Amino acid sequence: MSNITIKDIAKALNLSVSTISKALNNSYEIGDETKQRVNDYAKANNYKPNRLAKSLKIGHTNSIGVLVCSYFSSTFLAQILDGIQKASLETGHDIIIMQSFENVDNEKACLDALISKGVDGILMAPVSETSNSEYLNYITQNHCPIVLFDRFNPAIETTKIGVNEYKGAFEATQHLININRKRILFITGDKFGENNQRILGFKKALKNLDIPFNQRYMVYCSLEDTEAMDAKICQSIQQLTEANIRPNAIFGATDVITTRTLGILANLKIKVPEDIAVIGFANTDIAFSLNPSLSTIRQPARDIGYLALNKLVELIDLHGKKPAQYETILLETTIQLRNSTNLETVQQA
């Protein structure tokens, strides 16, 4: 059975089309009794509003663009999308998801595509802290609001939703030092600069305990190509081993780096945690079932996505006006310690 239209409702209730439209949109011009009568009939007969026609009338598409790096390879980003989807169902917005695949040019192309589709706003996790800064500012000034999540571009004046990366990295590094693992290899993406909060938190924990920072224990790898990433991590560990300064701990700065590191160490016949302890940012739900189970810094990903979409809707509702103040909201991480850093279990065995 096809959906009924406003004209069908008007004919059935012997009211004008204009009255039906105003009643369905809760207009003050229509009395409560008529509104109730119209809405009861619409609900009983499965009336669905024509969203395209409404969007043309009010100048909005009711759609939101979501630009992420690569949700297929990241549990963290997939969980953020869960939160965004939940919020979009509650607010009645459609979402269009695109991936930059950690590439700046792809990111620009995705932004172009979203603008051409007339989205009312954009949620995005930038490729880096500086990628496409000028274009993002142009979009916010001439097209639609943008809310950043996960990765922050300081040059963009807008609302930003993420986690306290500095504290999470600090606590994870401190844990490694507490189990007497001081030669810590920090592995991160090659597009993250020295002012990245995870790097700063790592360095601060070292400094607090008078452990000199060794640049050789800082590895930058490509997040675009997992094969190249694996090769870089493997090569770095082998080179440090040959130089008799092999690390006794590894800190992975991203979801993908942390989880893939366990497989790389297994291929190198390096025991975890006996030879090298491993911890890092990772939201994988199977961390407990990996071999060994993986110690992680877990981020409230679904909360990030849910909050980010709602904050974007608030900006959209301002109709181009700037808020009194843009927010930067940092949610707290949690550290989950498992066998990849549990030396007591190894000693007892």
Side-chain angles (χ1 to χ4, degrees), residues 5-17 20 37 41:
T5 67
I6 287 179
K7 290 183 179 179
D8 295 327
I9 300 175
K11 183 177 180 180
L13 299 181
N14 197 27
L15 295 170
S16 70
V17 171
I20 301 299
R37 182 183 170 205
Y41 185 89

mmCIF file with all atom_site columns, all heavy atoms in Angstrom, residues 5-17 20 37 41:
data_model
loop_
_atom_site.group_PDB
_atom_site.id
_atom_site.type_symbol
_atom_site.label_atom_id
_atom_site.label_alt_id
_atom_site.label_comp_id
_atom_site.label_asym_id
_atom_site.label_entity_id
_atom_site.label_seq_id
_atom_site.pdbx_PDB_ins_code
_atom_site.Cartn_x
_atom_site.Cartn_y
_atom_site.Cartn_z
_atom_site.occupancy
_atom_site.B_iso_or_equiv
_atom_site.pdbx_formal_charge
_atom_site.auth_seq_id
_atom_site.auth_comp_id
_atom_site.auth_asym_id
_atom_site.auth_atom_id
_atom_site.pdbx_PDB_model_num
ATOM 1   N N   . THR A 1 5  ? -0.800  11.059 1.038  1.00 0.00 ? 5  THR A N   1
ATOM 2   C CA  . THR A 1 5  ? -0.226  12.393 0.925  1.00 0.00 ? 5  THR A CA  1
ATOM 3   C C   . THR A 1 5  ? -1.037  13.381 1.755  1.00 0.00 ? 5  THR A C   1
ATOM 4   O O   . THR A 1 5  ? -2.107  13.050 2.294  1.00 0.00 ? 5  THR A O   1
ATOM 5   C CB  . THR A 1 5  ? -0.227  12.862 -0.542 1.00 0.00 ? 5  THR A CB  1
ATOM 6   O OG1 . THR A 1 5  ? -1.587  13.037 -0.970 1.00 0.00 ? 5  THR A OG1 1
ATOM 7   C CG2 . THR A 1 5  ? 0.474   11.842 -1.433 1.00 0.00 ? 5  THR A CG2 1
ATOM 8   N N   . ILE A 1 6  ? -0.528  14.611 1.826  1.00 0.00 ? 6  ILE A N   1
ATOM 9   C CA  . ILE A 1 6  ? -1.254  15.669 2.526  1.00 0.00 ? 6  ILE A CA  1
ATOM 10  C C   . ILE A 1 6  ? -2.618  15.891 1.867  1.00 0.00 ? 6  ILE A C   1
ATOM 11  O O   . ILE A 1 6  ? -3.626  16.115 2.550  1.00 0.00 ? 6  ILE A O   1
ATOM 12  C CB  . ILE A 1 6  ? -0.427  16.969 2.529  1.00 0.00 ? 6  ILE A CB  1
ATOM 13  C CG1 . ILE A 1 6  ? 0.754   16.834 3.499  1.00 0.00 ? 6  ILE A CG1 1
ATOM 14  C CG2 . ILE A 1 6  ? -1.285  18.162 2.924  1.00 0.00 ? 6  ILE A CG2 1
ATOM 15  C CD1 . ILE A 1 6  ? 1.643   18.049 3.568  1.00 0.00 ? 6  ILE A CD1 1
ATOM 16  N N   . LYS A 1 7  ? -2.642  15.811 0.545  1.00 0.00 ? 7  LYS A N   1
ATOM 17  C CA  . LYS A 1 7  ? -3.912  15.982 -0.173 1.00 0.00 ? 7  LYS A CA  1
ATOM 18  C C   . LYS A 1 7  ? -4.918  14.907 0.215  1.00 0.00 ? 7  LYS A C   1
ATOM 19  O O   . LYS A 1 7  ? -6.129  15.180 0.349  1.00 0.00 ? 7  LYS A O   1
ATOM 20  C CB  . LYS A 1 7  ? -3.668  15.954 -1.681 1.00 0.00 ? 7  LYS A CB  1
ATOM 21  C CG  . LYS A 1 7  ? -2.941  17.180 -2.218 1.00 0.00 ? 7  LYS A CG  1
ATOM 22  C CD  . LYS A 1 7  ? -2.793  17.103 -3.730 1.00 0.00 ? 7  LYS A CD  1
ATOM 23  C CE  . LYS A 1 7  ? -2.086  18.354 -4.276 1.00 0.00 ? 7  LYS A CE  1
ATOM 24  N NZ  . LYS A 1 7  ? -1.922  18.289 -5.750 1.00 0.00 ? 7  LYS A NZ  1
ATOM 25  N N   . ASP A 1 8  ? -4.439  13.662 0.394  1.00 0.00 ? 8  ASP A N   1
ATOM 26  C CA  . ASP A 1 8  ? -5.334  12.568 0.801  1.00 0.00 ? 8  ASP A CA  1
ATOM 27  C C   . ASP A 1 8  ? -5.934  12.842 2.180  1.00 0.00 ? 8  ASP A C   1
ATOM 28  O O   . ASP A 1 8  ? -7.126  12.595 2.424  1.00 0.00 ? 8  ASP A O   1
ATOM 29  C CB  . ASP A 1 8  ? -4.581  11.236 0.821  1.00 0.00 ? 8  ASP A CB  1
ATOM 30  C CG  . ASP A 1 8  ? -4.106  10.810 -0.556 1.00 0.00 ? 8  ASP A CG  1
ATOM 31  O OD1 . ASP A 1 8  ? -4.802  11.123 -1.537 1.00 0.00 ? 8  ASP A OD1 1
ATOM 32  O OD2 . ASP A 1 8  ? -3.034  10.170 -0.644 1.00 0.00 ? 8  ASP A OD2 1
ATOM 33  N N   . ILE A 1 9  ? -5.075  13.323 3.094  1.00 0.00 ? 9  ILE A N   1
ATOM 34  C CA  . ILE A 1 9  ? -5.548  13.621 4.453  1.00 0.00 ? 9  ILE A CA  1
ATOM 35  C C   . ILE A 1 9  ? -6.582  14.753 4.408  1.00 0.00 ? 9  ILE A C   1
ATOM 36  O O   . ILE A 1 9  ? -7.618  14.706 5.083  1.00 0.00 ? 9  ILE A O   1
ATOM 37  C CB  . ILE A 1 9  ? -4.366  14.003 5.367  1.00 0.00 ? 9  ILE A CB  1
ATOM 38  C CG1 . ILE A 1 9  ? -3.355  12.847 5.455  1.00 0.00 ? 9  ILE A CG1 1
ATOM 39  C CG2 . ILE A 1 9  ? -4.871  14.352 6.767  1.00 0.00 ? 9  ILE A CG2 1
ATOM 40  C CD1 . ILE A 1 9  ? -2.104  13.190 6.244  1.00 0.00 ? 9  ILE A CD1 1
ATOM 41  N N   . ALA A 1 10 ? -6.276  15.789 3.606  1.00 0.00 ? 10 ALA A N   1
ATOM 42  C CA  . ALA A 1 10 ? -7.189  16.927 3.489  1.00 0.00 ? 10 ALA A CA  1
ATOM 43  C C   . ALA A 1 10 ? -8.558  16.489 2.978  1.00 0.00 ? 10 ALA A C   1
ATOM 44  O O   . ALA A 1 10 ? -9.602  16.912 3.495  1.00 0.00 ? 10 ALA A O   1
ATOM 45  C CB  . ALA A 1 10 ? -6.579  17.975 2.560  1.00 0.00 ? 10 ALA A CB  1
ATOM 46  N N   . LYS A 1 11 ? -8.570  15.613 1.982  1.00 0.00 ? 11 LYS A N   1
ATOM 47  C CA  . LYS A 1 11 ? -9.836  15.136 1.407  1.00 0.00 ? 11 LYS A CA  1
ATOM 48  C C   . LYS A 1 11 ? -10.612 14.299 2.420  1.00 0.00 ? 11 LYS A C   1
ATOM 49  O O   . LYS A 1 11 ? -11.834 14.446 2.568  1.00 0.00 ? 11 LYS A O   1
ATOM 50  C CB  . LYS A 1 11 ? -9.540  14.308 0.155  1.00 0.00 ? 11 LYS A CB  1
ATOM 51  C CG  . LYS A 1 11 ? -10.786 13.826 -0.567 1.00 0.00 ? 11 LYS A CG  1
ATOM 52  C CD  . LYS A 1 11 ? -10.416 13.069 -1.837 1.00 0.00 ? 11 LYS A CD  1
ATOM 53  C CE  . LYS A 1 11 ? -11.672 12.582 -2.567 1.00 0.00 ? 11 LYS A CE  1
ATOM 54  N NZ  . LYS A 1 11 ? -11.311 11.840 -3.825 1.00 0.00 ? 11 LYS A NZ  1
ATOM 55  N N   . ALA A 1 12 ? -9.880  13.442 3.141  1.00 0.00 ? 12 ALA A N   1
ATOM 56  C CA  . ALA A 1 12 ? -10.541 12.555 4.100  1.00 0.00 ? 12 ALA A CA  1
ATOM 57  C C   . ALA A 1 12 ? -11.141 13.322 5.268  1.00 0.00 ? 12 ALA A C   1
ATOM 58  O O   . ALA A 1 12 ? -12.219 12.956 5.787  1.00 0.00 ? 12 ALA A O   1
ATOM 59  C CB  . ALA A 1 12 ? -9.546  11.519 4.621  1.00 0.00 ? 12 ALA A CB  1
ATOM 60  N N   . LEU A 1 13 ? -10.473 14.390 5.696  1.00 0.00 ? 13 LEU A N   1
ATOM 61  C CA  . LEU A 1 13 ? -10.932 15.145 6.865  1.00 0.00 ? 13 LEU A CA  1
ATOM 62  C C   . LEU A 1 13 ? -11.726 16.392 6.493  1.00 0.00 ? 13 LEU A C   1
ATOM 63  O O   . LEU A 1 13 ? -12.132 17.163 7.375  1.00 0.00 ? 13 LEU A O   1
ATOM 64  C CB  . LEU A 1 13 ? -9.727  15.526 7.732  1.00 0.00 ? 13 LEU A CB  1
ATOM 65  C CG  . LEU A 1 13 ? -8.904  14.364 8.289  1.00 0.00 ? 13 LEU A CG  1
ATOM 66  C CD1 . LEU A 1 13 ? -7.762  14.895 9.152  1.00 0.00 ? 13 LEU A CD1 1
ATOM 67  C CD2 . LEU A 1 13 ? -9.781  13.419 9.099  1.00 0.00 ? 13 LEU A CD2 1
ATOM 68  N N   . ASN A 1 14 ? -11.892 16.594 5.170  1.00 0.00 ? 14 ASN A N   1
ATOM 69  C CA  . ASN A 1 14 ? -12.635 17.762 4.684  1.00 0.00 ? 14 ASN A CA  1
ATOM 70  C C   . ASN A 1 14 ? -12.007 19.073 5.186  1.00 0.00 ? 14 ASN A C   1
ATOM 71  O O   . ASN A 1 14 ? -12.706 19.989 5.653  1.00 0.00 ? 14 ASN A O   1
ATOM 72  C CB  . ASN A 1 14 ? -14.110 17.680 5.103  1.00 0.00 ? 14 ASN A CB  1
ATOM 73  C CG  . ASN A 1 14 ? -14.976 18.642 4.285  1.00 0.00 ? 14 ASN A CG  1
ATOM 74  O OD1 . ASN A 1 14 ? -14.653 18.991 3.144  1.00 0.00 ? 14 ASN A OD1 1
ATOM 75  N ND2 . ASN A 1 14 ? -16.082 19.081 4.882  1.00 0.00 ? 14 ASN A ND2 1
ATOM 76  N N   . LEU A 1 15 ? -10.681 19.139 5.082  1.00 0.00 ? 15 LEU A N   1
ATOM 77  C CA  . LEU A 1 15 ? -9.935  20.332 5.462  1.00 0.00 ? 15 LEU A CA  1
ATOM 78  C C   . LEU A 1 15 ? -9.061  20.755 4.290  1.00 0.00 ? 15 LEU A C   1
ATOM 79  O O   . LEU A 1 15 ? -8.835  19.980 3.353  1.00 0.00 ? 15 LEU A O   1
ATOM 80  C CB  . LEU A 1 15 ? -9.053  20.052 6.690  1.00 0.00 ? 15 LEU A CB  1
ATOM 81  C CG  . LEU A 1 15 ? -9.784  19.712 8.006  1.00 0.00 ? 15 LEU A CG  1
ATOM 82  C CD1 . LEU A 1 15 ? -8.774  19.221 9.047  1.00 0.00 ? 15 LEU A CD1 1
ATOM 83  C CD2 . LEU A 1 15 ? -10.548 20.929 8.544  1.00 0.00 ? 15 LEU A CD2 1
ATOM 84  N N   . SER A 1 16 ? -8.572  21.968 4.325  1.00 0.00 ? 16 SER A N   1
ATOM 85  C CA  . SER A 1 16 ? -7.696  22.441 3.249  1.00 0.00 ? 16 SER A CA  1
ATOM 86  C C   . SER A 1 16 ? -6.309  21.827 3.380  1.00 0.00 ? 16 SER A C   1
ATOM 87  O O   . SER A 1 16 ? -5.880  21.435 4.476  1.00 0.00 ? 16 SER A O   1
ATOM 88  C CB  . SER A 1 16 ? -7.593  23.964 3.282  1.00 0.00 ? 16 SER A CB  1
ATOM 89  O OG  . SER A 1 16 ? -6.853  24.384 4.411  1.00 0.00 ? 16 SER A OG  1
ATOM 90  N N   . VAL A 1 17 ? -5.602  21.767 2.260  1.00 0.00 ? 17 VAL A N   1
ATOM 91  C CA  . VAL A 1 17 ? -4.222  21.266 2.259  1.00 0.00 ? 17 VAL A CA  1
ATOM 92  C C   . VAL A 1 17 ? -3.359  22.122 3.166  1.00 0.00 ? 17 VAL A C   1
ATOM 93  O O   . VAL A 1 17 ? -2.491  21.633 3.898  1.00 0.00 ? 17 VAL A O   1
ATOM 94  C CB  . VAL A 1 17 ? -3.656  21.252 0.816  1.00 0.00 ? 17 VAL A CB  1
ATOM 95  C CG1 . VAL A 1 17 ? -2.159  20.956 0.836  1.00 0.00 ? 17 VAL A CG1 1
ATOM 96  C CG2 . VAL A 1 17 ? -4.388  20.216 -0.028 1.00 0.00 ? 17 VAL A CG2 1
ATOM 97  N N   . ILE A 1 20 ? -3.843  21.171 6.808  1.00 0.00 ? 20 ILE A N   1
ATOM 98  C CA  . ILE A 1 20 ? -3.177  19.898 7.108  1.00 0.00 ? 20 ILE A CA  1
ATOM 99  C C   . ILE A 1 20 ? -1.672  20.122 7.282  1.00 0.00 ? 20 ILE A C   1
ATOM 100 O O   . ILE A 1 20 ? -1.055  19.623 8.232  1.00 0.00 ? 20 ILE A O   1
ATOM 101 C CB  . ILE A 1 20 ? -3.426  18.853 6.002  1.00 0.00 ? 20 ILE A CB  1
ATOM 102 C CG1 . ILE A 1 20 ? -4.922  18.591 5.844  1.00 0.00 ? 20 ILE A CG1 1
ATOM 103 C CG2 . ILE A 1 20 ? -2.667  17.569 6.297  1.00 0.00 ? 20 ILE A CG2 1
ATOM 104 C CD1 . ILE A 1 20 ? -5.587  18.046 7.085  1.00 0.00 ? 20 ILE A CD1 1
ATOM 105 N N   . ARG A 1 37 ? -6.521  15.802 15.667 1.00 0.00 ? 37 ARG A N   1
ATOM 106 C CA  . ARG A 1 37 ? -7.302  15.051 14.695 1.00 0.00 ? 37 ARG A CA  1
ATOM 107 C C   . ARG A 1 37 ? -6.463  14.706 13.460 1.00 0.00 ? 37 ARG A C   1
ATOM 108 O O   . ARG A 1 37 ? -6.472  13.574 12.978 1.00 0.00 ? 37 ARG A O   1
ATOM 109 C CB  . ARG A 1 37 ? -8.523  15.896 14.286 1.00 0.00 ? 37 ARG A CB  1
ATOM 110 C CG  . ARG A 1 37 ? -9.460  15.211 13.306 1.00 0.00 ? 37 ARG A CG  1
ATOM 111 C CD  . ARG A 1 37 ? -10.583 16.169 12.936 1.00 0.00 ? 37 ARG A CD  1
ATOM 112 N NE  . ARG A 1 37 ? -11.394 15.656 11.824 1.00 0.00 ? 37 ARG A NE  1
ATOM 113 C CZ  . ARG A 1 37 ? -12.078 16.415 11.007 1.00 0.00 ? 37 ARG A CZ  1
ATOM 114 N NH1 . ARG A 1 37 ? -12.049 17.741 11.147 1.00 0.00 ? 37 ARG A NH1 1
ATOM 115 N NH2 . ARG A 1 37 ? -12.798 15.870 10.041 1.00 0.00 ? 37 ARG A NH2 1
ATOM 116 N N   . TYR A 1 41 ? -4.988  10.883 12.427 1.00 0.00 ? 41 TYR A N   1
ATOM 117 C CA  . TYR A 1 41 ? -5.315  10.277 11.130 1.00 0.00 ? 41 TYR A CA  1
ATOM 118 C C   . TYR A 1 41 ? -4.036  9.937  10.355 1.00 0.00 ? 41 TYR A C   1
ATOM 119 O O   . TYR A 1 41 ? -3.931  8.863  9.742  1.00 0.00 ? 41 TYR A O   1
ATOM 120 C CB  . TYR A 1 41 ? -6.182  11.238 10.310 1.00 0.00 ? 41 TYR A CB  1
ATOM 121 C CG  . TYR A 1 41 ? -6.667  10.626 9.007  1.00 0.00 ? 41 TYR A CG  1
ATOM 122 C CD1 . TYR A 1 41 ? -7.855  9.908  8.961  1.00 0.00 ? 41 TYR A CD1 1
ATOM 123 C CD2 . TYR A 1 41 ? -5.908  10.737 7.832  1.00 0.00 ? 41 TYR A CD2 1
ATOM 124 C CE1 . TYR A 1 41 ? -8.307  9.322  7.782  1.00 0.00 ? 41 TYR A CE1 1
ATOM 125 C CE2 . TYR A 1 41 ? -6.347  10.151 6.645  1.00 0.00 ? 41 TYR A CE2 1
ATOM 126 C CZ  . TYR A 1 41 ? -7.527  9.453  6.629  1.00 0.00 ? 41 TYR A CZ  1
ATOM 127 O OH  . TYR A 1 41 ? -7.953  8.870  5.457  1.00 0.00 ? 41 TYR A OH  1
#
